[in-house]
Amino acid sequence: AQKITQTQPGMFVQEKEAVTLDCTYDTSDPSYGLFWYKQPSSGEMIFLIYQGSYDQQNATEGRYSLNFQKARKSANLVISASQLGDSAMYFCAMRELIQGAQKLVFGQGTRLTINP
Amino acid sequence: EADIYQTPRYLVIGTGKKITLECSQTMGHDKMYWYQQDPGMELHLIHYSYGVNSTEKGDLSSESTVSRIRTEHFPLTLESARPSHTSQYLCASSDPDRLGPLATNEKLFFGSGTQLSVL
């Protein structure tokens, strides 16, 4: 079963608009962490934002915010005032305890293209 | 700013060659990881290490092997490369000790990756 699901293979957004990237997850562990990473065409993975399963408030980091809906098991990334440099692949990931080891599992990714 | 380095950045080799992908970090992190990523696809964990002399298989079966003789160094080796090994290989590290064993906010720092093409 897919642990992390990103249903949008690609998205096209006009510059300066806000964009929401979807992520749903599946776990029976009450303690878990959710991450978003950005991967530009150069290939490196850049950490954007983290949300813990027990955090009461949605995480924010500058123009990034995480819309965490625990009951629906969704952790959507919201980018406000998009910029051309935001064009990249975006990966949602979940950290959970599997067989005594903390592991980070990634979704399939969403390719975001910002148009001028 | 992450201090984790991978070399080479790109590698094109012929079938049957032995190759080693280098990964080094200067942050003193105990845990290190190797992920494999096909173009436009998700990352799959192939190896990880809790520290010196510790190596574990990841979720995706891989014919590669790893070693961890020094904290800062986590090389990946393919004894006989094949076209099916063509992929991007990403190395990462994290430092969970200060967060406790059950911490879920353990952030990974990634290298720039090695794009491997086996002809």
Side-chain angles (χ1 to χ4, degrees):
Chain A
Q2 191 71 29
K3 288 280 189 178
I4 296 284
T5 303
Q6 294 180 252
T7 57
Q8 306 152 311
M11 285 194 70
F12 296 84
V13 175
Q14 288 298 119
E15 189 180 8
K16 298 181 184 178
E17 289 183 353
V19 57
T20 297
L21 305 182
D22 295 341
C23 173
T24 57
Y25 58 91
D26 180 27
T27 182
S28 57
D29 193 337
S31 178
Y32 54 89
L34 297 157
F35 299 76
W36 277 92
Y37 280 85
K38 172 184 179 181
Q39 187 179 41
S41 57
S42 52
E44 73 270 32
M45 295 285 283
I46 303 168
F47 166 78
L48 296 178
I49 197 166
Y50 163 82
Q51 179 85 44
S53 58
Y54 294 119
D55 293 345
Q56 295 297 313
Q57 294 189 329
N58 287 345
T60 60
E61 290 282 352
R63 293 187 299 113
Y64 304 108
S65 60
L66 203 150
N67 184 3
F68 182 46
Q69 298 188 41
K70 194 170 182 177
R72 299 176 64 179
K73 293 188 175 179
S74 74
N76 299 339
L77 177 70
V78 180
I79 306 174
S80 63
S82 58
Q83 302 171 356
L84 296 178
D86 293 333
S87 294
M89 283 287 287
Y90 288 80
F91 289 94
C92 180
M94 177 174 65
R95 173 171 296 286
E96 61 174 356
L97 194 62
I98 302 174
Q99 296 178 333
Q102 289 277 355
K103 293 187 178 179
L104 195 64
V105 179
F106 287 83
Q108 310 95 313
T110 295
R111 181 171 297 281
L112 176 63
T113 302
I114 307 298
N115 296 315
Chain B
E1 188 77 21
D3 294 314
I4 180 165
Y5 309 99
Q6 289 186 244
T7 56
R9 182 71 181 91
Y10 301 95
L11 180 60
V12 182
I13 59 168
T15 298
K17 299 291 186 182
K18 177 181 178 179
I19 60 165
T20 297
L21 308 184
E22 302 289 347
C23 176
S24 296
Q25 49 95 6
T26 58
M27 298 171 283
H29 287 172
D30 288 322
K31 287 184 80 170
M32 296 189 74
Y33 311 78
W34 276 103
Y35 283 86
Q36 184 175 342
Q37 182 187 27
D38 290 330
M41 304 295 285
E42 66 264 47
L43 282 71
H44 292 287
L45 181 67
I46 52 174
H47 298 285
Y48 61 101
S49 168
Y50 289 119
V52 172
N53 293 326
S54 155
T55 60
E56 304 284 345
K57 292 283 188 181
D59 301 322
L60 180 68
S61 176
S62 174
E63 295 169 341
S64 58
T65 59
V66 292
S67 62
R68 191 84 185 277
I69 299 172
R70 303 196 317 264
T71 298
E72 61 270 22
H73 198 211
F74 191 40
L76 181 146
T77 299
L78 276 166
E79 290 293 332
S80 180
R82 294 205 301 272
S84 60
H85 296 140
T86 294
S87 189
Q88 169 154 255
Y89 293 83
L90 286 156
C91 181
S93 72
S94 66
D95 187 17
D97 288 353
R98 61 184 176 85
L99 302 174
L102 298 181
T104 60
N105 58 340
E106 180 183 318
K107 184 174 69 176
L108 265 61
F109 296 91
F110 282 87
S112 299
T114 294
Q115 182 60 54
L116 173 65
S117 296
V118 184
L119 307 179

